[in-house]
Amino acid sequence: MKIHSRLPTIAFCFLCVIGAIGQAADREDIKQINVVSDEWINYTNKDGSGAYWEVVKAVFEPLNITVNTRVMPWARAERTVKNQQADALLGSYYQADQLNSFIFPKWHIGIEDPIIALYKVNNGVHLNANNLQSLQNKRIIWVRGYEFDKTLFSGITINKHVITKPKQALIMLNLNRADVLIDYEQEIRLAAKEANINLNTTYKMHVIKKGNKLYLAFSNTPRGRYLSKIFDQQMESLASTGAIKEIYAKWGFPDKFTD
């Protein structure tokens, strides 16, 4: 009977050892992480440079985990991680309704730019402060994948149109094929420069939402859960030393991260 009474304890210890070995094996196997995002100039450049990419590399590369970066349209990047074809999506909001697809770490990676409404001064748009109801039934355009209809315009009837690039949206706005463009200020200004459109004379910018925290959202897999834990551990250290703020300051974004 004494021998039998010890069997559960022995079995439990055996399982703990096996689990520990499995975790060690997982750690040894992870030599690289595949991260996808849309292209945001000086944040996620196609060549792997940029403030956001540099933060991710500061987290993982000291642990000898190579960071492989890939830029693609946002909607495709989101699908890629949901389909477990990449390890993490860089630049996601925390989404409570997406917890089956993504693992959100405790630490955010940065603060996004404010969301801007851009419209022509004389096209009949009168945007009231903090009241998007004034855009009811207006022709509104934004980049595919942002899903502002589910966030900013929930409960508001709008005539939305989505495109792939801000430049295309700005051209449509300039040709009066849309009433309002919703995007981030940096993206709007870069698109205007590319399209040779002067925003200073005939256009008005209106901040409609302050920036949210942005996350490195991991694929909901055992590998993703482990990478998320590593991310939180490393971010704790990098934030306490001020290393994260130094990276953003180096790229000209001193206010992009708060603890």
Side-chain angles (χ1 to χ4, degrees):
M1 290 299 295
K2 290 183 180 181
I3 294 176
H4 290 165
S5 66
R6 293 182 58 195
L7 285 178
T9 302
I10 294 172
F12 175 77
C13 292
F14 178 75
L15 290 174
C16 288
V17 171
I18 293 299
I21 293 173
Q23 284 186 338
D26 288 343
R27 285 196 292 270
E28 292 172 1
D29 288 342
I30 297 181
K31 300 297 183 183
Q32 59 183 0
I33 176 173
N34 300 307
V35 186
V36 296
S37 188
D38 204 338
E39 181 182 20
W40 298 307
I41 302 301
N42 291 333
Y43 289 101
T44 53
N45 298 328
K46 287 184 178 180
D47 64 0
S49 66
Y52 289 161
W53 289 141
E54 192 166 329
V55 171
V56 177
K57 291 174 182 178
V59 168
F60 290 102
E61 290 189 346
L63 302 178
N64 295 318
I65 299 175
T66 301
V67 177
N68 300 319
T69 64
R70 188 179 175 193
V71 166
M72 60 185 71
W74 181 257
R76 189 195 309 168
E78 194 172 40
R79 284 197 308 273
T80 298
V81 178
K82 281 185 176 182
N83 294 336
Q84 301 178 7
Q85 296 170 330
D87 294 309
L89 174 69
L90 177 55
S92 177
Y93 297 154
Y94 176 86
Q95 303 171 72
D97 62 342
Q98 295 290 328
L99 296 181
N100 288 333
S101 299
F102 298 118
I103 296 170
F104 294 94
K106 296 177 182 177
W107 277 92
H108 60 286
I109 200 165
I111 306 293
E112 70 175 347
D113 293 338
I115 300 174
I116 299 291
L118 178 74
Y119 51 94
K120 286 186 174 180
V121 173
N122 58 356
N123 75 343
V125 174
H126 303 286
L127 184 56
N128 300 324
N130 302 317
N131 181 14
L132 296 184
Q133 289 287 345
S134 57
L135 296 182
Q136 184 103 358
N137 297 316
K138 296 296 184 182
R139 298 173 300 169
I140 301 179
I141 190 168
W142 61 73
V143 174
R144 187 184 308 277
Y146 284 157
E147 297 186 340
F148 291 137
D149 51 335
K150 298 179 181 178
T151 54
L152 295 175
F153 298 103
S154 178
I156 302 175
T157 302
I158 58 171
N159 181 4
K160 73 167 184 175
H161 186 78
V162 295
I163 44 77
T164 56
K165 291 293 181 181
K167 178 183 175 182
Q168 180 186 353
L170 192 55
I171 290 173
M172 291 181 64
L173 192 66
N174 196 51
L175 294 174
N176 297 315
R177 295 177 181 172
D179 299 314
V180 182
L181 166 61
I182 307 295
D183 210 320
Y184 302 95
E185 182 173 356
Q186 176 177 274
E187 295 299 309
I188 290 172
R189 293 197 180 278
L190 288 170
K193 184 177 180 180
E194 188 179 353
N196 196 27
I197 294 174
N198 187 346
L199 299 177
N200 297 326
T201 55
T202 58
Y203 286 92
K204 184 173 182 179
M205 285 190 184
H206 186 100
V207 176
I208 58 176
K209 190 176 187 302
K210 293 181 178 180
N212 287 322
K213 289 182 178 180
L214 297 178
Y215 290 86
L216 187 63
F218 295 86
S219 180
N220 192 355
T221 64
R223 176 183 170 93
R225 281 191 290 274
Y226 179 67
L227 288 169
S228 177
K229 290 179 181 178
I230 292 178
F231 179 81
D232 277 332
Q233 291 169 359
Q234 293 293 94
M235 282 293 290
E236 184 80 33
S237 174
L238 292 170
S240 66
T241 62
I244 301 297
K245 291 184 179 180
E246 288 180 8
I247 291 173
Y248 283 118
K250 166 188 166 183
W251 283 93
F253 309 121
D255 301 321
K256 295 301 293 184
F257 183 80
T258 55
D259 298 1

